[in-house]
Amino acid sequence: MSFPLLTVTAAVPAVGAILTAAVPAARRTAAKWLALLVSLGTLVLAAVVFARFEPGGARYQLTESQTWIKDFGVRYELGVDGIGVALIALTALLVPFVILAGWHDADPSPSPSDGGGPRDRVDKRWRPTQGFFALILMVEAMVILSFEATDVFLFYVLFEAMLIPMYFLIGGFGDRAHSGSDENAAAQRSYAAVKFLLYNLVGGLIMLAAVIGLYVVAGNFSLTEIAEARANGSLEMATTTERLLFLGFFFAFAVKAPLWPLHTWLPNAMGEATAPVAVLITAVVDKVGTFAMLRFCLGLFPEASQWATPAIVVLALISIVYGALLAVGQRDIKRLVAYASISHFGFIILGIFAMTSQGQSGATLYMVNHGISTAALMLVAGFLISRRGSRLIADYGGVQKVAPVLAGTFLIGGLATLSLPGLAPFVSEFLVLVGTYARYPVAGIIATTGIVLAALYTLVLYQRTMTGPVKEEVRALPDLRARELAVVVPLIAVLIFLGVFPKPLTDVVNPAVQHTMSDVQQKDPQPSIQNVEAAK
């Protein structure tokens, strides 16, 4: 029996979460270091998975399969394709930085020596630090396993279970940067956490009905067996049945992604969560939704995917423009990043349903690059907010004169967000637009407005917070410290590396995209004479 590498990769953070939660209350620092070491160990295992994956090999590799619930045909079945490998690497890469950035976010007392702001008083019999880092590791374990699952029921269990630790991370460890009372801040955090949970639970319940319907039709939950049966003609679905099942799956994934108009939970959740948890939400957890669109919606329901494509393209375009427009008008730094993320998820979903290899390759790269760029921007913003104690853009000004390194890293994160050439998001956004234009020229043209608006909200944010006269309240702000530089510098380095040399990712992703294109029986459109003339 081969070594169960995929299971171990997900099990390490899960076991680490249990051990971290069990650390005695007085050993908060030990709990932090344990969580960081566990996340680094998971990163090493993810690197091994990436190295052992053969892009030209079988579609699903490093497979594992064990009977789980025999009477219902449920199996513990794992396997990774190029898309899953890329997202496992993203998750494992980001979590150590999330832990390091949130080093003092659950401390029960102020940590002035590290530049932190005041913390809420807590009962010392409770272990807030241990709980905070244990929950982060548990989310990591569930997300990694969801990228590995090839059994639909197993994926559904993970898809729903990850909501529980995220609920507590948002509601129990929310942002303290509020201008109102502690009671009002707690109420806002509770509201955001409940809204996050309810939206995703409703999506999950609808998906559960679709999962049951799929079992009734197919007789099992195995993604590979169902896809094989559909390919050889031994499993046929009525058109109406397939479309209803597709809608059940897609609705849940569109909530998680999030896609307009199912997006409204995200600004609240990201605004009220700490900056590291906000990164966990949008850069890690939300990627499960877009990943599942590729693996399950297109893989299981090819005809229904093509049927729904025009409507989904329209929704994606609305997300791109709507999210960017609302980002322009935001007064809250974290909510601005949240609305920018809604716009970016519009690009990802547009690339997926453009039904071209360039679009889907770009969408997959976008998932990775958006995760890294948003992490860089949001974590630097979190460091800034913790110093001033305010999320409002108007409370800043002239920061680059008192904290030039902080301002410089903030600028690079912002430029990555607007997809500046030379940084990683440019490659993915370019591929999405090219792939979309090849099949839907009008949609491709409309989507480019998101680029213009991204430049607007990013540069205006930088101008209002970092340039101009130094406000009295920010005059004494310290620059980035060693721990914070250890978080930001590697993320910027990865953004630059993938911006000039994306080949390591594209080599892994492209074969998986070709399999997905084969599932939906689509080929890249040939350039028409009219399109060539229009381009000229």
Side-chain angles (χ1 to χ4, degrees):
M1 182 177 179
S2 60
F3 180 73
L5 180 59
L6 297 185
T7 294
V8 172
T9 304
V12 166
V15 174
I18 296 171
L19 295 177
T20 301
V23 173
R27 304 288 301 276
R28 291 192 301 271
T29 302
K32 296 175 184 179
W33 280 106
L34 175 59
L36 181 60
L37 290 174
V38 168
S39 67
L40 290 173
T42 305
L43 177 58
V44 171
L45 288 170
V48 174
V49 171
F50 194 94
R52 289 190 57 184
F53 184 81
E54 298 178 7
R59 179 172 186 176
Y60 295 107
Q61 300 179 30
L62 306 175
T63 55
E64 303 172 29
S65 182
Q66 299 291 333
T67 300
W68 182 16
I69 307 175
K70 185 176 182 180
D71 291 342
F72 295 99
V74 179
R75 300 183 64 81
Y76 175 80
E77 195 170 80
L78 307 180
V80 288
D81 60 2
I83 299 169
V85 165
L87 293 175
I88 290 170
L90 170 69
T91 303
L93 174 67
L94 290 182
V95 169
F97 298 119
V98 166
I99 290 173
L100 202 55
W103 202 251
H104 294 293
D105 282 359
D107 284 355
S109 58
S111 183
S113 62
D114 199 66
R119 308 295 177 190
D120 294 341
R121 294 183 179 275
V122 298
D123 187 339
K124 293 186 180 297
R125 292 172 298 177
W126 187 49
R127 294 188 286 246
T129 302
Q130 290 84 335
F132 180 74
F133 292 105
L135 290 170
I136 290 174
L137 290 175
M138 190 56 69
V139 171
E140 179 182 24
M142 293 178 180
V143 170
I144 288 175
L145 202 55
S146 69
F147 291 142
E148 299 171 345
T150 55
D151 183 277
V152 178
F153 188 83
L154 173 62
F155 174 83
Y156 171 78
V157 170
L158 297 165
F159 187 81
E160 291 294 277
M162 68 180 70
L163 301 179
I164 299 171
M166 286 307 309
Y167 169 81
F168 288 108
L169 283 170
I170 297 168
F173 301 92
D175 193 357
R176 272 75 169 182
H178 274 273
S179 57
S181 64
D182 289 344
E183 291 78 10
N184 180 61
Q188 290 295 323
R189 292 198 297 268
S190 178
Y191 171 78
V194 170
K195 189 173 184 180
F196 161 82
L197 187 64
L198 289 179
Y199 266 66
N200 284 275
L201 280 178
V202 170
L205 288 173
I206 293 174
M207 180 182 170
L208 177 60
V211 169
I212 295 171
L214 179 66
Y215 177 75
V216 171
V217 172
N220 66 78
F221 293 106
S222 172
L223 176 66
T224 53
E225 290 182 15
I226 295 172
E228 183 179 348
R230 299 218 64 185
N232 61 29
S234 60
L235 173 61
E236 295 183 0
M237 292 187 193
T239 300
T240 302
T241 301
E242 180 176 344
R243 291 177 180 180
L244 289 174
L245 293 177
F246 168 87
L247 290 175
F249 277 79
F250 180 80
F251 183 86
F253 303 152
V255 172
K256 182 85 78 180
L259 178 68
W260 184 92
L262 305 172
H263 67 284
T264 58
W265 62 267
L266 183 65
N268 295 100
M270 288 184 66
E272 298 304 323
T274 63
V277 172
V279 170
L280 201 63
I281 294 169
T282 190
V284 176
V285 173
D286 288 354
K287 297 302 187 300
V288 176
T290 47
F291 163 80
M293 291 179 189
L294 279 165
R295 173 166 283 189
F296 296 102
C297 287
L298 272 60
L300 293 173
F301 315 110
E303 187 279 332
S305 298
Q306 295 180 53
W307 162 76
T309 288
I312 296 172
V313 167
V314 170
L315 294 177
L317 291 174
I318 294 174
S319 287
I320 291 170
V321 178
Y322 172 85
L325 283 173
L326 264 66
V328 171
Q330 289 303 304
R331 297 180 297 172
D332 182 308
I333 297 174
K334 291 170 70 177
R335 289 179 71 90
L336 185 152
V337 178
Y339 280 109
S341 289
I342 291 169
S343 181
H344 294 148
F345 274 103
F347 277 107
I348 294 171
I349 295 170
L350 180 65
I352 292 172
F353 285 90
M355 299 294 182
T356 61
S357 58
Q358 299 99 324
Q360 292 185 358
S361 294
T364 304
L365 291 179
Y366 214 131
M367 294 184 220
V368 176
N369 295 335
H370 168 265
I372 300 169
S373 62
T374 299
L377 180 61
M378 178 60 85
L379 292 178
V380 177
F383 298 147
L384 176 66
I385 292 167
S386 70
R387 284 158 163 76
R388 174 67 176 84
S390 173
R391 306 196 316 241
L392 298 179
I393 297 172
D395 287 341
Y396 297 88
V399 174
Q400 66 180 11
K401 297 176 183 177
V402 298
V405 177
L406 188 153
T409 54
F410 189 83
L411 178 61
I412 295 173
L415 293 176
T417 299
L418 64 83
S419 300
L420 184 76
L423 297 174
F426 170 77
V427 179
S428 46
E429 193 162 283
F430 178 78
L431 285 173
V432 167
L433 291 173
V434 168
T436 302
Y437 186 83
R439 195 176 294 278
Y440 303 107
V442 175
I445 292 170
I446 295 173
T448 57
T449 60
I451 301 174
V452 178
L453 293 170
L456 181 61
Y457 62 68
T458 299
L459 297 178
V460 168
L461 172 64
Y462 184 84
Q463 179 190 38
R464 292 177 177 175
T465 55
M466 302 296 165
T467 66
V470 180
K471 290 200 172 184
E472 191 61 36
E473 295 83 0
V474 305
R475 193 172 296 278
L477 289 186
D479 213 336
L480 292 183
R481 294 179 168 83
R483 173 181 62 85
E484 296 163 335
L485 286 171
V487 172
V488 178
V489 171
L491 292 174
I492 292 175
V494 174
L495 286 172
I496 295 172
F497 175 78
L498 292 179
V500 298
F501 189 61
K503 191 174 184 294
L505 271 182
T506 56
D507 285 349
V508 170
V509 165
N510 286 342
V513 167
Q514 292 302 322
H515 284 297
T516 304
M517 290 286 290
S518 176
D519 287 340
V520 293
Q521 300 177 352
Q522 290 285 338
K523 295 182 179 179
D524 290 331
Q526 297 298 316
S528 65
I529 296 176
Q530 292 84 351
N531 286 348
V532 172
E533 292 298 325
K536 291 180 179 179

